[in-house]
Amino acid sequence: MVAKKTPADPSASTPVGTRPLSKSELTRERIIASAARVLADRGYAGTKLSDIARAAGIQAGSLYYHFADRDDIVDHVLRRGVREVFDTVRTTVEALPNDADHQRILETAIRAHLSVILDPTDVASASLRLLGQLPPETQRRYRAAQRGYGDYWHSIITAAQDHGAIRADIDPIRLRLLIIGQLNWVAEWPRAATAARVDLEREAVALIMTGLRG
């Protein structure tokens, strides 16, 4: 079983749910969630601060009480997205029995990551749709926030290779990028192609693992 201790998530802040949120914090949460939906629908270039404010149900000027500008909101959406997908995958993997083999661990991670991508209301899914539209500097900050999540996947893949669960002749860094890249691209698929979530998760696992088992 993959070790319970995992790399620290550099995007993490005070976990939601550890204490009651203040009114200001609740408003920030609503703005981030609303911004994610608007950005996913209209794209980075097509989203205005007024669009985000309208979706969040507040005056546009009130946004500046919580965020410096539009790009500050985008940064928070991206960091929240990384944290949410990391938490989802890590929690799902750690819920496996202690005697789960490494093939099952990898398959579970694949399913969990894809489940986030397939949730159109999720901040993580919205942030993935945005990535290719962002300015280079924003993309660099996003990549830096992803580092902990990448390290987590690297530990899963190398453990599976070390225990003979998957092929050992594939570079683990390339393998991680290929798996996550394939899964992330599902966010751009037509809705009809992703309607049957259970079938899609099963097929994704089957296709990826067939090649890895050699």
Side-chain angles (χ1 to χ4, degrees):
M1 180 69 179
V2 160
K4 296 294 185 182
K5 292 183 179 180
T6 56
D9 179 0
S11 69
S13 57
T14 302
V16 175
T18 58
R19 58 177 175 79
L21 296 180
S22 68
K23 183 178 179 181
S24 176
E25 289 170 328
L26 287 170
T27 301
R28 283 174 60 87
E29 293 293 314
R30 188 168 77 250
I31 293 169
I32 291 171
S34 300
R37 291 193 299 272
V38 175
L39 287 161
D41 182 49
R42 302 190 181 188
Y44 176 80
T47 296
K48 302 175 182 177
L49 274 175
S50 57
D51 300 326
I52 297 172
R54 189 179 305 110
I58 63 175
Q59 296 295 318
S62 299
L63 290 173
Y64 292 104
Y65 177 78
H66 303 280
F67 300 96
D69 51 28
R70 187 190 66 155
D71 283 347
D72 187 25
I73 298 175
V74 171
D75 279 348
H76 278 78
V77 169
L78 294 175
R79 288 199 297 271
R80 177 66 56 79
V82 173
R83 191 175 76 212
E84 287 189 0
V85 70
F86 194 172
D87 287 348
T88 296
V89 173
R90 180 169 48 191
T91 300
T92 305
V93 167
E94 291 180 354
L96 290 170
N98 287 330
D99 61 351
D101 62 43
H102 290 275
Q103 178 179 320
R104 184 179 177 188
I105 292 169
L106 179 55
E107 291 176 351
T108 299
I110 292 169
R111 288 179 181 273
H113 185 98
L114 187 55
S115 73
V116 177
I117 306 303
L118 294 173
D119 184 351
T121 65
D122 196 285
V123 174
S125 178
S127 69
L128 290 169
R129 287 183 170 88
L130 276 176
L131 187 55
Q133 308 169 27
L134 300 174
E137 178 58 32
T138 306
Q139 289 196 31
R140 281 193 289 272
R141 289 197 297 271
Y142 179 81
R143 300 295 185 192
Q146 279 188 313
R147 195 164 295 128
Y149 187 53
D151 290 344
Y152 181 68
W153 269 89
H154 189 83
S155 70
I156 290 176
I157 289 169
T158 54
Q161 290 179 320
D162 291 344
H163 288 81
I166 61 174
R167 293 169 52 177
D169 62 331
I170 304 175
D171 181 86
I173 295 176
R174 294 193 186 104
L175 180 54
R176 166 176 59 84
L177 293 172
L178 282 168
I179 292 175
I180 295 178
Q182 289 176 54
L183 297 177
N184 287 351
W185 189 249
V186 173
E188 302 298 331
W189 287 12
R191 186 169 300 177
T194 62
R197 290 182 55 161
V198 174
D199 289 344
L200 178 54
E201 289 178 12
R202 175 181 53 79
E203 290 166 359
V205 169
L207 288 169
I208 293 171
M209 296 305 297
T210 296
L212 291 181
R213 286 193 295 266

